[in-house]
Amino acid sequence: MKVVTGVVGNDIHVVANRLMELSLHARGYEVFNLGVNTYLEEFFDAAVETGAEILLISSLNGEAEGWGREVKQLKAKYKYLDNLVMMIGGNLTVGSGHAEDIIPKYKNYGFDLVCHQVDLNTGLDLLETFIADRKITESNQS
Amino acid sequence: MKVVTGVVGNDIHVVANRLMELSLHARGYEVFNLGVNTYLEEFFDAAVETGAEILLISSLNGEAEGWGREVKQLKAKYKYLDNLVMMIGGNLTVGSGHAEDIIPKYKNYGFDLVCHQVDLNTGLDLLETFIADRKITESNQS
Amino acid sequence: MSLLQEEREIILGNEYVDTFDFAEVEDFVKNASKELFISHHFKKKNKMLVQPRGGFPTYKKQFALYEFFVDANVDVLPLTIDSNTRLNDYGTAKKMLRLSEDNDVDMLNGYPLVNHGYRTTRKMMTHFNKPVSLRHGTPDARLLIETAIASGIFEIEGGPITYLLPYSKNFPLDKAFLYWKYVERVCANYSKLNEPINRESFGPLTATLVPPCITIVIQLLEMMLSLEEGVKSFSVSFSQSGSMNQDIVMGAVIRKLSKHYAAQIDCADAAINLVYHQWMGAFPTNKDYAEQLISISTVIASMVGADKIITKTREEATGIPTKEANAKTVANTQYSLGILNGLPNVVDQEEEEILTEEVHSIMEAVFNDPADTLWRKVFNSIKNGIIDVPFSPHIINHNEMITIRDAKKNIRIIERGSVPISDRCYAYERAQCDLTKDTTSIVNDIIHDIGIMQ
Amino acid sequence: MSLLQEEREIILGNEYVDTFDFAEVEDFVKNASKELFISHHFKKKNKMLVQPRGGFPTYKKQFALYEFFVDANVDVLPLTIDSNTRLNDYGTAKKMLRLSEDNDVDMLNGYPLVNHGYRTTRKMMTHFNKPVSLRHGTPDARLLIETAIASGIFEIEGGPITYLLPYSKNFPLDKAFLYWKYVERVCANYSKLNEPINRESFGPLTATLVPPCITIVIQLLEMMLSLEEGVKSFSVSFSQSGSMNQDIVMGAVIRKLSKHYAAQIDCADAAINLVYHQWMGAFPTNKDYAEQLISISTVIASMVGADKIITKTREEATGIPTKEANAKTVANTQYSLGILNGLPNVVDQEEEEILTEEVHSIMEAVFNDPADTLWRKVFNSIKNGIIDVPFSPHIINHNEMITIRDAKKNIRIIERGSVPISDRCYAYERAQCDLTKDTTSIVNDIIHDIGIMQ
Ligand code: B12
Ligand code: B12
């Protein structure tokens, strides 16, 4: 499966991003890593160009909260992205927040999977379960 | 002025006791230090023998709470101790307690001055104020 | 009028600056209390100075933070700048500052110094009368530094390399050098009026598996670029590496070589100080463990014999620390420094020798670059990978060097890329590691080594 | 039947003991899990073992404490005995235990092991299946130790000197030697059945300005008295002195000399371990500072290269610690040990040489005593002040030696009393201190030095 990943906004925390690339490779994905300092448009453009099924966004410095609000509106402008699995992880707020408050907010922004201060591999396990579940649902519906 | 001092019961914490002797000397008292591991009778006997005006008891390991209950009864057996200034200091409870609870308890046992986890010199300053106040009261009453 | 002064007038003619009175500022610096100058404290103090990190948007909150720090017996106050100001976006900063003031909520991750202006900020600095250190991360810090010095902030952190390679992906490196040249000159000029303004380089870089030789080379080069312009008080710095011995060795070598290279450009008269950063990499989320890590950093700083320590808090992994947590670290660090006595003097000759040789080799390669000025030589050396910073997000950085930790957790180079360390040193570095493992295990080791303190 | 066995039967015929089944106990020790033996862990472990302190009156509370410790990743569990049991007053202990059980309040400051008995206690020890260390302070520990070993407790702390001079004012020292001889023999005999029982000496003594030479001499003598009786695994110990360098020197010298003196009495086959106590003197009342002190102790223990560390808690100055605070120290100490890497190897030859000479001089004086057995030589040496422990409350102790801290906070001897250190060493000790001060200032210094960590 094809995955587009990167760190959103002016955030330059690159370490998790390097590990993300390694982990995704190890799990057999075809990875398109846009690196740090990547804007929303660039993510969606890349998803369209590569035909990726998954978009994995990182945010570490707290910026995501600002960018998140624009996700739905922007994504609506693109065709062919309706089935894109949208996932975000890292530090999803400025200061310290609680997952209970943060997750619903980001689901509302249009993310399927939200991992606030969750370890990379735990997050990627969740992703795989999510994809497997969706396949079952789809085949049931067809 | 003559002072009898020591550490009550089976308590062998000797350090504060050594400092006590030094501080009392420095303040000009005539000191009779009975050292650690001193029982109540020994304190009162020494007060009578030396004609001390002040009795300073230390307790560090928490034992004082046990011994305190016997003070009034025992002291009543001695003549000539009615004017003895009775002071106690150190760690006056097992575990950690609050001064608000501890002070009234020990006053009730018959101590004039109660210093739970109070620094030696602060305690000795209190003692001097107490003695000065008492002199004024006495001369007013006479 | 000098070219520099012409440039200054353009910079300070910025619409967000409320008329900059050059003469008045000069006068202020000339008569400013010595207490405000960290260079003065470095001279007279006989203990390690303790400096926390911290910046809030409003004057009121910054003032309250300083009160907490003073209660905790701080030696040096920090002023951390918000990220809009760092990107010279004073418009957004202004808007966010107003929102923060009106709604009593923090809309900025630091103090927007340019918007507050020097007349206001100076009141706070002279009120506390303690040395203040400016922490930013700005490639074009010209206006910011003018405002800082006019406010009474007499220590400026950063540099063209250390504030660029870890902090930016696309900002042009050559421009950064030129903008910092301006900063050095302004600092140098003001230094003539009273005690010197102190410049400090940011040694932690990406705080992730950076080998000592790269850190030291960059420290030395930023020091030289600064002294060249007339700066008279400079701090080199580095952060806890994860191995106590490697830190001690790094401290010894950087102290020796900074004197050496300062003398080489006839700047032996400048005061060079050593600053140690408590662990700058990924922190444990368990706050008790974070405190252990912080105390251990303090012990190592003492073993290193640093002149100043910059602290972290138990909340590092979670988010921006509260003022309470921040002040607590200061008080704890001061207490620890007081009880750290009878420190042994540790010397590891072999490690020192290898590291010294590595640094000399890289420095020589930089100097051998055919360009005409030092900054151009350094620029070229970064561009062609003679200097290579692991985990830098910047596009100009080569990312060819690979480092891992040996059994004692020393950071070792297992792929040198284009960094010209000698074969002897390279062999020594590799010999410390177990390279018989397969690639997957080595990658797993690297992943583990990044989070070594977790 | 041997004399020892006769004595054992008398001791174990105590009215508070519910029929002691010698054969069953022997069988239990023979087949006991290796995990219960700390001597086994010392052999196989490659990290410092972490052991807290702690004892509660009831089985239930002690069990709960152990659960906390296990969650915190403890290596060695403690069993601290109440003070009635220490004074062999099993009657009072029994009464207080009943009161504690009935009213859910602690009426004892430790676990009354004899009253609980070995059949009950063994269930707890085998349930957790971790090595347990017995901490008491009892001069006549014969019954206590029999009960401990029968319960599965295979490390016994104490000794005739270290559990007497700091802990008692009047108990006869000669009797203490004889009672401990019994203990050593019982330990030695059980050691033949499975892994050896470990004996540990209590090096901290009064934890107040005890000079290294006195600590080491006492450690060596208790070790020899123990090995003489056939003990095969022994731990010497000391506590943080206040100077990192002095601790490192002490560690090096005690490690070297314990091997030396063990070999001298043909006991080179015994395993000798080194135990380090986190700061044992007066603690700061500020709990955050107490934690700093504790972390720094851990760093020093690592520099010393101890085999085991015994921890304190942030609540030390306030009173007996809660199980939460106690477990927290264990977890923190384990974390710290994990991140302490690349420790330098420190050697201070001059200090080592002086200390070694001091120890040899005192040991020689002890051996030269005309008495026929080692314990009588030691007894005489304490009685005539050849061994003198500062701040001991015991009437037999001379209290003539005076110690203060030098500028680096090393403990130095400024009055040697009757302790026979050479003039050269004495001059060295005094030369480190400023003795030109008047007596009042020196007394003030001593007062300050006692509370050095506050
Ligand atoms: C190293 C570091 C830096 C380095 C970065 C070097 C570099 N270029 O990478 C330097 C020193 C340059 C730096 C700068 C700054 N930093 Co910084 N930094 C850190 C630090 C200490 C470690 C980050 C790290 O590398 N972790 C290691 C990686 C492996 O872990 P990770 O990033 O947390 O990622 C893990 C998970 O989050 C997860 N994950 C990440 N993404 C995703 C995505 C998905 C889908 C999933 C499932 C999981 C996942 O997987 C990873 C492994 O488990 C953190 C604090 C901490 N965590 O200890 C602060 C921290 C992230 N930084 C912070 C800040 C504010 C900054 C600055 C803005 C300002 C400043 N104070 O200097 C600048 C940033 C400038 C910018 N434009 O972004 C804050 C963010 C605050 C917030 N969110 O509220 C933090 C939390 C520190 C703090 N407490 O204040 N920083
Ligand atoms: C050193 C020490 C020891 C040494 C003592 C050596 C010796 N012979 O002196 C050793 C290791 C042998 C020891 C043994 C024990 N100790 Co102890 N020990 C300490 C420690 C760490 C320091 C005490 C000290 O010397 N302080 C320095 C002096 C100068 O300060 P101070 O004693 O607190 O006195 C000051 C004030 O209290 C005041 N003061 C004292 N008396 C008076 C009197 C007056 C009138 C006034 C005004 C002021 C005043 O002045 C002093 C200076 O400011 C304390 C904890 C701490 N405080 O950090 C525990 C502590 C006192 N010990 C304690 C205990 C329980 C014991 C033991 C029973 C059991 C054990 N766990 O080993 C045995 C005691 C045996 C016995 N029979 O008493 C507990 C007491 C608990 C309680 N009260 O609830 C403490 C608090 C530790 C703890 N948190 O568990 N101990």
Side-chain angles (χ1 to χ4, degrees), chain C residues 40 141 167 369 411:
Chain C
H40 174 69
Y167 282 97
D369 182 274
I411 301 169

Side-chain angles (χ1 to χ4, degrees), chain B residues 5-17 19-20 36-37 55-63 87-97 113-127, chain D residues 53 80-83 86-87 109 135-137 162-163 165-168 202 204-208 279-285 312-313 315-321 390-394 447 450-451 454:
Chain B
T5 190
V7 182
V8 70
N10 293 311
D11 194 337
I12 50 67
H13 289 91
V14 79
V15 183
N17 179 256
L19 298 184
M20 175 76 87
V36 298
N37 206 349
L55 174 59
L56 282 188
I57 296 181
S58 282
S59 173
L60 288 316
N61 73 0
E63 277 189 30
M87 182 167 185
I88 190 161
N91 299 326
L92 300 181
T93 185
V94 175
S96 55
L113 288 158
V114 182
C115 293
H116 176 60
Q117 297 187 342
V118 169
D119 172 76
L120 203 58
N121 278 313
T122 316
L124 294 182
D125 289 347
L126 285 176
L127 173 65
Chain D
R53 303 183 140 82
T80 302
I81 302 303
D82 72 289
S83 54
R86 292 171 183 219
L87 297 167
N109 53 15
R135 328 301 288 176
H136 45 129
T162 57
Y163 262 16
L165 294 190
Y167 282 97
S168 167
F202 178 68
L205 292 162
T206 62
T208 309
W279 180 251
M280 285 291 289
F283 252 70
T285 46
K312 285 260 171 165
T313 75
E315 297 177 354
E316 175 65 15
T318 343
I320 290 161
F391 292 97
S392 163
H394 201 281
I447 294 176
I450 288 167
Q454 299 203 302

